[in-house]
Amino acid sequence: MTTRPRLRLGRHLLPGLVAVGLFVVLAVGVLAAPLGAAAGFPAEGSLAEANVTAELADGGSVDGGSYASEFDGSTTRVTVDRGDGTVAHTLTAADVAAEREGDTTYAVVSVPADGERVGLERIPMVDHGEAAAGPGAQVEGVDRSAEPGPETGVHAVARRGSITETIGYAMFDLRSVQPLPAESFLVVLLLVAVVLDAALEAAVYLARRGDDEVLTAIGRGEEGGEP
Amino acid sequence: MAVPTSYYVVLSAAMFCAGLFGILTRSNALTFLMSVELMLNAANVNFVAFSFHHGNLTGQTFALFAMALAAAEVAIGIGIIVTLYRNFGGTDVTIAREMRW
């Protein structure tokens, strides 16, 4: 037999009117609010996807334009000219982490562009020092003093920022390597772990029948008979 | 073409009001729990929608933690309902009028 909840006009009229009234007020308020266009997350084919081929240490060519970078000891200034206007980014050492792939260590820099987010870029480093090895390591600066060559220029743009990846990094406070903007949630993660543990304990406590009995319904009959 | 953020917020408002209606009209504890979940998920839809709107993943991460808290809440809620059923022979919240029995 199927039972369905019945709507009783007498008792349910006032709560129904309250709920519908609240919805109308909220909907009108939201639709009239000047929210503007959504910033969104990086799309395929943005600068992060461009195929960059290096020619010089301080500059290179990108698809449909040129790429130049200057390092003054603490700040790297990256300029991208794609024919439709020059976009410049200023990076500090705090934005830079290191990543090793094969024999080459790359400086991984986060480049926020105007109006779009481009995730991570990798600039090969001439100095393969120990301090620069490993993801997440802090880099003082990119060494541009060596002779320019294929390995010292802008080698490749790494990847677009992944949403799932960023959430994972944000949960463990790994902001130096997260490709998209997000706050740190390490403390929240630990608190939620404790809360879930407490909830498990509380659920077992509430499901107990007596002081000594633990979950009799599991594995046995309701009255302790055979399963 | 992305769906405008305001549409998500209107959906969230509808979910919240449906949950509110359920809490105001029903007396079954399980239906109560479902209505509270509906309201909680309405907040989650808002978090994700505004996360997209601002291009910042804080909202999505927060929604993930809100889901974990909802799971904890349901675990305790169902434990309370089981106790309610044992002591009063039903899950009607209007029968249990005392905090201790």
Side-chain angles (χ1 to χ4, degrees):
Chain A
M1 192 183 79
T2 314
T3 57
R4 292 190 181 85
R6 287 184 191 155
L7 193 66
R8 299 182 189 88
L9 270 184
R11 275 177 55 206
H12 295 170
L13 186 62
L14 186 62
L17 285 176
V18 168
V20 170
L22 182 64
F23 172 68
V24 169
V25 169
L26 288 174
V28 168
V30 165
L31 290 175
L35 284 175
F41 296 111
E44 297 283 350
S46 62
L47 180 60
E49 296 285 317
N51 182 23
V52 182
T53 53
E55 290 174 359
L56 296 171
D58 296 332
S61 61
V62 296
D63 281 349
S66 60
Y67 192 110
S69 62
E70 299 168 29
F71 180 67
D72 65 359
S74 63
T75 304
T76 304
R77 185 171 177 79
V78 181
T79 311
V80 181
D81 186 358
R82 310 196 75 173
D84 52 352
T86 300
V87 184
H89 313 290
T90 303
L91 311 166
T92 60
D95 298 326
V96 182
E99 191 174 275
R100 184 181 282 276
E101 185 179 292
D103 295 331
T104 310
T105 303
Y106 298 92
V108 182
V109 294
S110 176
V111 184
D114 299 329
E116 60 172 338
R117 294 173 196 284
V118 296
L120 297 181
E121 286 193 41
R122 300 197 303 182
I123 300 173
M125 296 168 62
V126 177
D127 181 14
H128 296 175
E130 288 183 8
Q138 290 297 313
V139 177
E140 292 301 318
V142 180
D143 184 8
R144 304 276 181 194
S145 59
E147 287 295 311
E151 206 177 275
T152 57
V154 176
H155 177 70
V157 175
R159 54 206 153 132
R160 65 187 281 253
S162 160
I163 289 175
T164 317
E165 184 187 354
T166 306
I167 290 176
Y169 286 137
M171 282 200 287
F172 291 96
D173 194 18
L174 296 169
R175 269 175 287 187
S176 57
V177 286
Q178 76 184 27
L180 293 170
E183 290 171 28
S184 163
F185 281 89
L186 183 61
V187 176
V188 185
L189 181 76
L190 296 174
L191 285 176
V192 164
V194 173
V195 168
L196 282 173
D197 226 6
L200 180 68
E201 198 71 28
V204 171
Y205 173 78
L206 287 168
R208 249 179 213 165
R209 276 174 172 274
D211 289 338
D212 303 325
E213 207 172 0
V214 179
L215 292 175
T216 49
I218 297 176
R220 290 195 289 142
E222 187 69 15
E223 299 301 323
E226 290 300 312
Chain B
M1 168 106 187
V3 179
T5 311
S6 53
Y7 289 13
Y8 289 110
V9 184
V10 168
L11 168 74
S12 154
M15 283 170 71
F16 186 87
C17 293
L20 182 71
F21 179 75
I23 282 186
L24 291 176
T25 55
R26 305 291 168 206
S27 58
N28 190 320
L30 281 170
T31 324
F32 252 55
L33 214 57
M34 285 189 248
S35 301
V36 170
E37 281 303 306
L38 213 52
M39 293 168 84
L40 212 61
N41 279 308
N44 281 345
V45 170
N46 262 347
F47 277 132
V48 176
F50 280 103
S51 170
F52 176 74
H53 186 79
H54 293 290
N56 190 312
L57 280 168
T58 300
Q60 285 201 27
T61 320
F62 201 92
L64 208 62
F65 286 111
M67 279 185 231
L69 279 184
E73 174 222 314
V74 165
I76 293 180
I78 289 180
I80 292 173
I81 290 170
V82 167
T83 315
L84 201 69
Y85 183 80
R86 276 191 199 139
N87 286 288
F88 297 98
T91 54
D92 196 327
V93 289
T94 57
I95 293 173
R97 292 174 184 276
E98 295 162 356
M99 289 293 282
R100 291 187 66 172
W101 56 83

